[in-house]
Amino acid sequence: MSRFPKLLALDDDQSWLTQIPLILEDECEVTTISTIDQAIEVVKNKFFDIILLDMNFDNDPRCGID
């Protein structure tokens, strides 16, 4: 029994967030989120094997490292 890795894609670019599940749908279970606050809430309750994150968010003083 194989299990797809769980991937979180975090970016404020909606175009990129729409493309990443299409690219990886046969390889990963993809969750997409567009804000840092949403991502913080999700990772509190769910484990991800992989996190792809944007380093610069428009309209938010925080960055991916935060």
Side-chain angles (χ1 to χ4, degrees):
M1 180 174 127
S2 68
R3 175 182 75 87
F4 282 143
K6 291 179 176 70
L7 180 141
L8 172 64
L10 171 59
D11 200 307
D12 56 347
D13 180 345
Q14 289 299 324
S15 173
W16 187 81
L17 285 180
T18 321
Q19 294 172 26
I20 204 72
L22 298 174
I23 295 167
L24 297 173
E25 66 186 354
D26 294 333
E27 305 296 326
C28 298
E29 178 185 316
V30 179
T31 301
T32 59
I33 296 184
S34 60
T35 71
I36 294 172
D37 292 327
Q38 289 174 333
I40 290 169
E41 289 305 311
V42 168
V43 298
K44 285 181 183 177
N45 299 308
K46 186 174 181 181
F47 173 81
F48 291 94
D49 299 294
I50 306 162
I51 299 178
L52 300 176
L53 59 99
D54 187 7
M55 295 304 291
N56 299 305
F57 287 81
D58 293 336
N59 303 318
D60 195 321
R62 298 170 291 181
C63 71
I65 293 173
D66 296 331

